[in-house]
Amino acid sequence: MKSKSDEELIELIVQNHRPALEELYDRYVKLIYSFSIKITKGDTEKTKEIVQQVFLRLWTTKSTYNASQGQFVNWLLTITRNISIDLIRKEQKYKGTVQLELEDWQQMQGLPADDVQQQVTRNQLKQQIQEAKRHLSEPQQRLINLLYWEGYSLSEIAELEQKPLGTIKSRLHQALKKLRNNFSGKIGGVRHGEKM
C-alpha cells in the first residue's frame, strides 16, 4: 500500500479495500488533526470527532478524488473544513434550543386547539416533503439535504462533490422541479415557482 499514490488508494477505497483507507489514515491523520485543532480552537474532543468523520466520509460516501481539479491534500482539507463547519453549526443550533421543564410541558398541553392544528399541519407537510423526496435520485437527495437541512452553500457542495458549480445548480433545478411536481400532485397547493 505504501507505494501506491493517493489517487490509487482512493480508487481502492471505493471498492471497499480497508487497507487502502488505513494507509491514507497513516499518511494524513496528523495533518487533519493539526488543521482541525486550529478550527476548534484547541478543543481535542471536537478535533478527534472531526478526524473520525473525515475518514468515515471517505469510506462511506465513495467520493472520488480527481487529480485534474487540484492536489489530493487540498481536496482532503476541503472535506475536513466542511465537516468542521457542519459540526460547529450543529453545536450552535443546539445551544439555541431551550430545554423544557415538566411544568412548561404541562402548560403547553393547555394550548388552544388551533396551535395543535398548526402542529398537525406542519407534521403532515413534513411527511409529504419526505414522500416527495423519495422520487429524487440519490445525488439529488444528497444535494437537497446538504443545502436545506445541513446549511451548505452551493459552492461548498460543488467542492465537496468535486463537481462544477454549474452541474450542482442544474441538479438543484431538476431536483426542485421534480419535488414540486410530486409535491403539488399530493396536495395541489404548491404553485410553480413557489418556494418550499
Side-chain angles (χ1 to χ4, degrees), residues 108-119:
M108 275 178 65
Q109 287 178 317
L111 285 174
D114 60 336
D115 285 352
V116 175
Q117 181 60 43
Q118 276 182 342
Q119 186 61 45

Side-chain angles (χ1 to χ4, degrees), residues 14 72 132:
V14 170
F72 177 81

Side-chain angles (χ1 to χ4, degrees), residues 114-160:
D114 60 336
D115 285 352
V116 175
Q117 181 60 43
Q118 276 182 342
Q119 186 61 45
V120 169
T121 306
R122 263 200 302 270
N123 287 343
Q124 284 177 329
L125 189 63
K126 210 171 174 184
Q127 207 171 350
Q128 287 165 337
I129 291 171
Q130 287 302 109
E131 190 61 42
K133 270 173 66 181
R134 288 194 186 128
H135 296 280
L136 300 179
S137 67
E138 196 181 316
Q140 287 173 332
Q141 283 186 24
R142 192 167 57 243
L143 172 58
I144 294 292
N145 286 335
L146 287 169
L147 187 66
Y148 292 108
W149 308 128
E150 295 187 31
Y152 285 97
S153 69
L154 285 175
S155 52
E156 284 174 330
I157 294 168
E159 249 180 279
L160 190 66

Side-chain angles (χ1 to χ4, degrees), residues 85-117:
I85 289 168
D86 192 32
L87 187 73
I88 290 163
R89 278 183 186 154
K90 273 184 190 159
E91 251 185 28
Q92 287 169 346
K93 201 188 292 179
Y94 289 128
K95 276 181 191 167
T97 59
V98 179
Q99 294 297 318
L100 285 178
E101 298 300 327
L102 180 62
E103 193 180 309
D104 299 325
W105 179 249
Q106 286 166 338
Q107 283 176 348
M108 275 178 65
Q109 287 178 317
L111 285 174
D114 60 336
D115 285 352
V116 175
Q117 181 60 43

Side-chain angles (χ1 to χ4, degrees), residues 13 24 36 39 56 65 70 74 94 104 116 145 169 179 185 192:
I13 288 169
L24 271 185
S36 304
I39 296 172
L56 183 66
Y65 159 68
N74 294 338
Y94 289 128
D104 299 325
V116 175
N145 286 335
K169 284 180 177 176
L179 265 181
H192 187 75

Side-chain angles (χ1 to χ4, degrees), residues 13-196:
I13 288 169
V14 170
Q15 297 159 31
N16 293 326
H17 193 69
R18 190 173 287 275
L21 181 70
E22 289 164 2
E23 177 59 31
L24 271 185
Y25 181 89
D26 290 343
R27 284 184 196 180
Y28 292 105
V29 66
K30 285 180 183 166
L31 175 71
I32 291 170
Y33 187 90
S34 61
F35 183 74
S36 304
I37 201 123
K38 287 176 193 160
I39 296 172
T40 63
K41 298 181 175 119
D43 186 327
T44 53
E45 285 309 305
K46 258 190 240 167
T47 300
K48 285 176 189 171
E49 190 177 341
I50 291 165
V51 170
Q52 191 177 17
Q53 283 189 31
V54 167
F55 288 100
L56 183 66
R57 186 169 290 181
L58 285 181
W59 183 251
T60 57
T61 61
K62 309 300 179 204
S63 50
T64 52
Y65 159 68
N66 185 343
S68 67
Q69 293 181 336
Q71 291 184 323
F72 177 81
V73 69
N74 294 338
W75 178 75
L76 197 55
L77 290 177
T78 299
I79 290 173
T80 307
R81 183 183 153 273
N82 289 339
I83 286 172
S84 305
I85 289 168
D86 192 32
L87 187 73
I88 290 163
R89 278 183 186 154
K90 273 184 190 159
E91 251 185 28
Q92 287 169 346
K93 201 188 292 179
Y94 289 128
K95 276 181 191 167
T97 59
V98 179
Q99 294 297 318
L100 285 178
E101 298 300 327
L102 180 62
E103 193 180 309
D104 299 325
W105 179 249
Q106 286 166 338
Q107 283 176 348
M108 275 178 65
Q109 287 178 317
L111 285 174
D114 60 336
D115 285 352
V116 175
Q117 181 60 43
Q118 276 182 342
Q119 186 61 45
V120 169
T121 306
R122 263 200 302 270
N123 287 343
Q124 284 177 329
L125 189 63
K126 210 171 174 184
Q127 207 171 350
Q128 287 165 337
I129 291 171
Q130 287 302 109
E131 190 61 42
K133 270 173 66 181
R134 288 194 186 128
H135 296 280
L136 300 179
S137 67
E138 196 181 316
Q140 287 173 332
Q141 283 186 24
R142 192 167 57 243
L143 172 58
I144 294 292
N145 286 335
L146 287 169
L147 187 66
Y148 292 108
W149 308 128
E150 295 187 31
Y152 285 97
S153 69
L154 285 175
S155 52
E156 284 174 330
I157 294 168
E159 249 180 279
L160 190 66
E161 297 279 311
Q162 295 290 297
K163 300 272 184 224
L165 185 57
T167 303
I168 297 297
K169 284 180 177 176
S170 172
R171 188 180 291 168
L172 176 64
H173 176 74
Q174 293 302 317
L176 289 176
K177 193 173 166 186
K178 212 183 264 189
L179 265 181
R180 202 176 289 122
N181 291 342
N182 284 298
F183 197 65
S184 57
K186 288 198 172 48
I187 61 168
V190 180
R191 291 180 298 280
H192 187 75
E194 191 173 307
K195 205 168 182 187
M196 291 198 308

